[in-house]
Amino acid sequence: MKITVVGAGIIGLSAAWALCREGHQVTVYEQGTLPNSLGSSVDQHRLIRFPYGRELGYTRMVFDAYRAWEQLWGDLGKRLYAPTGTLVLASATESWASDSATTLEQLGIGVRWLHAEQLQAAFPLLMADGVESAFYLDSGGVLLAEKIIAAMAEYLSHKGVILHTQVQVREIDPDRPRIVLEGAIAEADTLVIAAGAWVTRLLPDFGKRVTPSRQVVVYIEPPVETKAQWLNAPMILDIDPECGFYLVPPVLGTDLKIGDHRFTLTGNPDCDRTAGEAEVQQIYKQLERRIKDFNRYQLKSARTCFYTVAPEERFIVEPVGNAWVMSGFSGHGFKFGPLLGLRLAEAIACRCTPTFLSQWAAGEP
């Protein structure tokens, strides 16, 4: 089949990769450069981890996600991943940690619970004040996001996938199916629309189903004497309904990164791109209560990215006319990118039904 993919983030490139493996003729259109620095997939790193609260479907899906990444590493000829382990911290009012542990146990994955003294001894860079519960998992790690996007683009180009960059898709007709460009029309047998936070511009009806969410992350420089410890630190998920953050350790030459896990559900992906001082300070206040001697850490930079948030954070992968829409990944889709691409290719080849794919992508067990 002749297949057009709109969007060259991890979802669009993963779809192109999987469809190319099936022998389809694939063309990708990206509005920016590749990698696109404004894209939600393009940053130093993204996380893959098992804890998912009560979400049995997504927790189980992580097993398959790891296998899909192994397939991709085999094709790329390189492994752009660093295992770190996962540390989950939670306050007294938050059940996400205990829910995650229960779900993991259902799948045969045990966790190591830590009381405050054990937490402080095992992770001396942290302060345990206010932590009601904590557990550690050996699994989980860092995906080198921007390097992955660049490597996938290079691989796909060598495999005959046509990559058009800095091309604006003006309109999508999913029924024919075709896309309208500046002064041209590109037709295909089917379309894959993986446009991230810009999906509502191309498919206005999706404005009722997904919401762009502007998120700020900061990169910080730790004191010299702590750098070796941070290099061996796990990812940290600090879960709190009022505040809380995720921390990505500085692996393989990357920076120490911290972001607020709460959605803003505001912003325009075509602007609102400068992280403000107040936004940075909001994250800093969270870190002051959790990282020891945080006043000695230096801000290196801050940036924004845009999530595309769906209700209950359920992924949307479904047919629309003679096209497929992949959207609503709510900030946790990167880890599943190659797996979602492979499953989409199966549906296009009629090896699974569209209904099954949509329900599976939505995390239904």
Side-chain angles (χ1 to χ4, degrees):
M1 295 176 64
K2 183 179 179 181
I3 300 176
T4 293
V5 178
V6 179
I10 189 61
I11 303 300
L13 291 184
S14 292
W17 165 69
L19 292 165
C20 177
R21 285 175 125 244
E22 297 265 338
H24 298 293
Q25 180 184 344
V26 182
T27 302
V28 179
Y29 290 87
E30 166 58 45
Q31 65 177 339
T33 57
L34 206 116
N36 182 355
S37 62
L38 298 183
S40 300
S41 299
V42 180
D43 193 3
Q44 294 182 35
H45 19 45
R46 290 289 183 266
L47 297 174
I48 180 169
R49 40 78 178 178
F50 274 99
Y52 252 98
R54 297 180 181 178
E55 296 294 338
L56 180 63
Y58 286 124
T59 306
R60 181 185 287 125
M61 201 184 292
V62 177
F63 286 106
D64 293 329
Y66 268 111
R67 285 190 281 269
W69 281 108
E70 289 301 324
Q71 286 183 259
L72 180 61
W73 303 145
D75 284 355
L76 297 182
K78 62 180 76 175
R79 182 184 298 272
L80 299 169
Y81 170 74
T84 63
T86 306
L87 178 64
V88 176
L89 315 175
S91 68
T93 58
E94 181 56 61
S95 65
W96 192 87
S98 59
D99 290 341
S100 294
T102 300
T103 304
L104 289 165
E105 288 169 5
Q106 292 180 46
L107 298 174
I109 303 175
V111 305
R112 178 159 64 94
W113 286 99
L114 303 167
H115 58 64
E117 291 181 0
Q118 291 172 319
L119 175 64
Q120 196 68 78
F123 303 100
L125 295 172
L126 303 179
M127 294 188 294
D129 298 346
V131 176
E132 180 66 23
S133 58
F135 69 75
Y136 176 78
L137 278 172
D138 288 329
S139 61
V142 174
L143 296 159
L144 303 180
E146 185 168 0
K147 290 183 178 180
I148 289 170
I149 298 299
M152 290 181 75
E154 182 179 6
Y155 172 82
L156 291 171
S157 180
H158 289 160
K159 286 294 181 179
V161 173
I162 301 172
L163 302 172
H164 293 288
T165 60
Q166 296 182 298
V167 176
Q168 193 79 41
V169 177
R170 301 292 183 183
E171 185 181 335
I172 287 177
D173 185 342
D175 295 316
R176 294 199 176 183
R178 66 182 189 180
I179 61 173
V180 178
L181 308 168
E182 184 68 40
I185 293 175
E187 297 184 337
D189 296 312
T190 191
L191 308 177
V192 177
I193 304 164
W198 292 270
V199 67
T200 57
R201 186 182 69 196
L202 299 173
L203 296 172
D205 286 348
F206 262 72
K208 303 172 185 177
R209 302 182 59 186
V210 297
T211 304
S213 185
R214 181 178 180 276
Q215 308 292 134
V216 172
V217 296
V218 298
Y219 306 86
I220 58 177
E221 180 73 22
V224 173
E225 67 272 17
T226 69
K227 287 186 176 181
Q229 290 174 281
W230 279 118
L231 287 173
N232 296 303
M235 74 174 78
I236 299 173
L237 309 177
D238 189 317
I239 307 301
D240 190 294
E242 300 301 325
C243 58
F245 62 89
Y246 63 89
L247 180 148
V248 186
V251 298
L252 302 178
T254 63
D255 293 324
L256 179 61
K257 181 176 82 173
I258 299 99
D260 191 330
H261 63 71
R262 298 168 300 176
F263 300 134
T264 67
L265 300 177
T266 61
N268 181 338
D270 289 315
C271 50
D272 298 331
R273 285 293 183 168
T274 302
E277 178 66 22
E279 294 170 310
V280 172
Q281 288 303 316
Q282 189 174 23
I283 296 176
Y284 262 49
K285 287 180 181 178
Q286 299 180 46
L287 302 177
E288 288 170 353
R289 69 185 177 88
R290 186 62 64 229
I291 297 179
K292 189 177 295 184
D293 299 324
F294 186 68
N295 63 325
R296 299 184 59 219
Y297 288 68
Q298 299 295 318
L299 176 67
K300 293 187 72 173
S301 62
R303 72 183 298 266
T304 63
C305 72
F306 272 80
Y307 297 166
T308 309
V309 181
E312 299 182 347
E313 302 178 37
R314 305 289 180 183
F315 300 165
I316 299 170
V317 180
E318 63 186 39
V320 176
N322 290 309
W324 286 86
V325 178
M326 307 179 78
S327 186
F329 296 104
S330 306
H332 64 110
F334 195 101
K335 69 176 73 64
F336 296 117
L339 177 61
L340 288 160
L342 291 170
R343 292 293 180 267
L344 175 69
E346 290 177 359
I348 288 176
C350 298
R351 296 199 297 272
C352 72
T353 67
T355 298
F356 173 84
L357 176 58
S358 296
Q359 292 176 341
W360 170 84
E364 297 182 19

